[in-house]
Amino acid sequence: MTMLDTRHDQAAEAEASAPATSATTSPAPATSPAPTEAPVLTMAAAINRALADAMAEDDSVLVFGEDVGALGGVFRVTDGLTERFGERRCFDTPLAESGIVGTAIGMAMNGMRPVVEMQFDAFAYPAFEQIVSHAAKMANRTRGAVRLPMVIRIPFGGGIGGVEHHCDSSEAYYAHTPGLTVVAPATPQDAYSLLRAAIRHPDPVVFLEPKKLYWSKAPVDTSIEAEIGRARVVREGTDATLIAYGTSVGVALDAATVAESEGRSIAVVDVRTLTPCDDETLFAAVRATGRAVVVAEAPGFASVASELAARIGEHCFPYLEAPVRRVTGFDTPFAPPKLERHYLPDVDRVLDAIDSLNWED
Amino acid sequence: MISEDLLPRETPVRLVDEHGEAVSDPQYPAPDTGRLVEAYRALVQGRRVNEQCSALVRQGRLAVYPSSHGQEACQVAAALALRDGDWLFPTYRDSVAVIARGVDPAQALVLLRGDWHSGYDPNDFNVAPQATPLATQLLHAVGFAHAAALRGEPTVVLAMCGDGATSEGDFHEALNFAAVFHVPVVFFVQNNEFAISVPLSRQTAAPSLAHKAIGYGMPGERVDGNDVAALLAVLDRAVSRARSGEGPSLIEAHTYRMQAHTNADDDTRYRERDEVQAWISRDPLVRVQAYLRGAGAIDDTAEAGFAADAEVVAQQLREAMNSDPELDPEDLFRYVYASRTPQLENEWAMLRDELSRTEPATEEAR
Ligand SMILES: Cc1ncc(C[n+]2csc(CCOP(=O)(O)OP(=O)(O)O)c2C)c(N)n1
């Protein structure tokens, strides 16, 4: 907690207080009871709740990884699961990422629904081969005969003052790989609902948890179901659209608030599923405003932000008043803790990008 | 003391020598003759499949074939050591094992012809897709076995790899996971002395590959990989050990690849002809044939029958490979996700449009 810088905490809170429930996902079932008081949870607790609920509901859901048992994970996301479900359902493995993902693949081949934890983004790289060559391709190799319902949870992104290898944004590697579904929630509610959906999903899901938001709090209604592949309009606006995911959603919302005080009405879209991407929602939002900025922490070159900008350029060109802008991390290795504030896209950088969108005034 | 139990023998286990003479072993009883006749029959078929596939490569009918000529005893024993509910996790070189396990030969070769990345439904035969990246499937085998064990099922998983693959990280992660979780897996290494051109001495400085087992806390054993009787005895023991809850083991079979790595490889660049010649006299077929003949278990008539059966398989293979199946380009988009994404729908629409303009005949035929 102390690692968090306060300005970003505020951003997370501003974000959490955004109309998360109303804008979230598919409409609530008609039969849903009058809204009861949803508990306020941190994102870490929301993910923990999702894991516990999925395990309680389905015996084949297993959780394993490094330090996920007695310790409850270095971010406490798996806290209490071993106690509650026993060591057969939630267990510590040897320290071997390829081993974790590779054995999860075999388990999924044999009727289980493993949910594995990679301790930090850059420590998932030893498992890269298993993720891209095997998890992603098993259904394809076997013409759909063998499906791998498994989730690879990866804490990702910076903003926590972590030392090297603890702050990478590795989403482009996974999003680039056909066969993988890549999800990145930005609120505790989405973390809960999207993880439940990911565990039910028939294909392997890389579930990216913005670690800076682990301690952000918001009400979580466990009856809300999310659909993978749907973006959400977090904030309506008429002049320009900011597109973001993960921690950057908070940055975009803060920038939109400031821009509003300067007289510009800015929409914000949370992408939520990076692949398959919800082109429909994105394009509609951009066409309505005619201007777009994509915000993400990862280095910009060959990034998910680049892909989104390119898609918008291809499909919304007649509606655009200005070229699509990207606000991303630099094309450098992730910054050391004392320099990360210069690296991370912040409100000012987003505001500058908005200012550059060819306004007549 | 424990280590003594886990250590492999000084010399590989052998039950039938190069002249077809029985070698008695206090630890490993010889398989009964009926089983060896069955094994011999599978060996004859395996050899014929290897020959046929090599010919199909020369005729341009197969894109590539990594032959297991010389290693057929390992291939056959791997398949015969398993029961119906067990699973085999093979590599690209293990087509003969895959076929011996029951997969239709033509389906097994779809990968090597280039129609698709695997040609059979793994669930129909309990055979995982043949793996090309080295050692990765060993981890899948461990996870698969672990899942079975968690459900209390008696499944045993046999996972195959070559000597070169034992240098990969996944090999070590797989052995370690299997030992720590005590899962019913048999790791079966076919040490054929080469990884493409690189000799065993460049893969390891260990006394043998089987010695690696003790570092993970599981038993290792070495076996003559050209002696199908010894292979069956050693694999049987490992399989029943796994089935009775005693955990994984590692078996190293000493054998030799008689041909080049694949048709794309020139083995005269890295090994002497004398060395290859020397292994001819250790041929796995000749040895068990002499043994069974000596025991009066097979005669000319039986042999003719085996050869004829093998010929039928070879002919079916030729016929299957000589026909060019119609491949459906939509398959490209079908098996990426459980439900097709809008992006893939668009890409398929684009390809369909291209096809309608460039291949009107095919389109009309649809
Ligand atoms: C991870 C990986 N690296 C490299 C290769 C290329 N390659 C294919 S076969 C081979 C040699 C494998 O030797 P070995 O494990 O001894 O098996 P064998 O071919 O002798 O059966 C190599 C290097 C590969 N398939 N996978």
Side-chain angles (χ1 to χ4, degrees), chain A residues 63-65 68 82 87-93 107, chain B residues 146 181:
Chain A
V63 171
F64 54 98
V68 299
T82 302
E87 282 199 357
R88 294 160 67 88
R89 304 281 307 281
C90 177
F91 53 88
D92 289 320
T93 64
M107 288 201 157
Chain B
H146 194 179
F181 292 115

Side-chain angles (χ1 to χ4, degrees), chain A residues 123-138:
Chain A
F123 303 139
Y125 299 145
F128 194 63
E129 149 78 347
Q130 287 290 351
I131 299 173
V132 305
S133 285
H134 301 282
K137 289 180 181 165
M138 187 65 78

Side-chain angles (χ1 to χ4, degrees), chain A residues 88 94 96 98-99 102-103 106-107 110 129-130 134 140-143 145 147 179-181 202-203 276-277 279 311, chain B residues 116-118 121-123 129-130 133 136 139-140 143-144 146 148 150-151 170 173 176-177 331 335-338 341 343:
Chain A
R88 294 160 67 88
S98 189
T103 54
M107 288 201 157
N110 197 3
E129 149 78 347
Q130 287 290 351
H134 301 282
N140 188 256
R141 291 164 81 191
T142 61
R143 292 175 174 259
R147 299 226 160 258
L180 296 179
T181 298
D203 296 315
C277 164
D279 288 338
R311 298 184 90 77
Chain B
W116 203 260
H117 306 305
S118 176
D121 180 343
N123 299 304
Q130 286 178 262
T136 52
L139 280 165
H140 307 166
F144 195 98
H146 194 179
L150 285 175
R151 285 197 301 264
D170 277 6
E173 297 193 19
N176 194 44
F177 265 68
D331 279 0
Y335 308 115
V336 187
Y337 295 99
T341 65
Q343 287 79 13

Side-chain angles (χ1 to χ4, degrees), chain B residues 21-246:
Chain B
E21 301 293 334
V23 181
S24 82
D25 189 301
Q27 206 185 340
Y28 292 102
D32 66 58
T33 311
R35 191 128 187 270
L36 289 179
V37 171
E38 190 194 346
Y40 178 60
R41 178 195 170 95
L43 281 172
V44 171
Q45 184 183 308
R47 174 64 51 85
R48 188 69 189 87
V49 166
N50 276 330
E51 282 165 357
Q52 184 60 67
C53 290
S54 298
L56 286 165
V57 170
R58 287 192 295 275
Q59 293 155 16
R61 283 292 169 183
L62 280 180
V64 65
Y65 186 70
S67 178
S68 62
H69 188 120
Q71 302 179 214
E72 289 96 343
C74 299
Q75 298 281 302
V76 161
L80 294 187
L82 296 177
R83 283 195 205 152
D84 279 355
D86 296 337
W87 273 71
L88 182 75
F89 279 67
T91 76
Y92 53 85
R93 194 175 302 286
D94 302 323
S95 300
V96 166
V98 167
I99 292 166
R101 181 97 180 111
V103 177
D104 173 52
Q107 283 182 39
L109 293 172
V110 159
L111 165 77
L112 299 169
R113 176 159 70 175
D115 296 357
W116 203 260
H117 306 305
S118 176
Y120 50 89
D121 180 343
N123 299 304
D124 287 348
F125 306 98
N126 292 9
V127 178
Q130 286 178 262
T132 307
L134 299 167
T136 52
Q137 84 285 0
L138 303 179
L139 280 165
H140 307 166
V142 172
F144 195 98
H146 194 179
L150 285 175
R151 285 197 301 264
E153 293 164 3
T155 313
V156 172
V157 178
L158 189 147
M160 306 176 76
C161 72
D163 43 293
T166 66
S167 300
E168 292 280 359
D170 277 6
F171 172 83
H172 301 277
E173 297 193 19
L175 263 66
N176 194 44
F177 265 68
V180 167
F181 292 115
H182 209 67
V183 301
V185 176
V186 177
F187 296 100
F188 183 42
V189 181
Q190 290 170 83
N191 171 6
N192 64 10
E193 299 288 339
F194 289 93
I196 308 186
S197 65
V198 181
L200 185 68
S201 58
R202 270 290 162 118
Q203 301 298 343
T204 183
S208 83
L209 295 173
H211 276 82
K212 291 178 185 288
I214 190 174
Y216 299 101
M218 70 172 81
E221 190 62 285
R222 314 168 70 178
V223 55
D224 183 331
N226 286 17
D227 175 358
V228 77
L231 282 157
L232 281 171
V234 171
L235 285 172
D236 280 352
R237 165 160 308 196
V239 167
S240 69
R241 210 188 110 82
R243 201 176 322 276
S244 61
E246 288 173 76

Side-chain angles (χ1 to χ4, degrees), chain A residues 312-323:
Chain A
I312 293 167
E314 276 180 347
H315 295 274
C316 306
F317 185 69
Y319 301 83
L320 289 175
E321 307 285 347

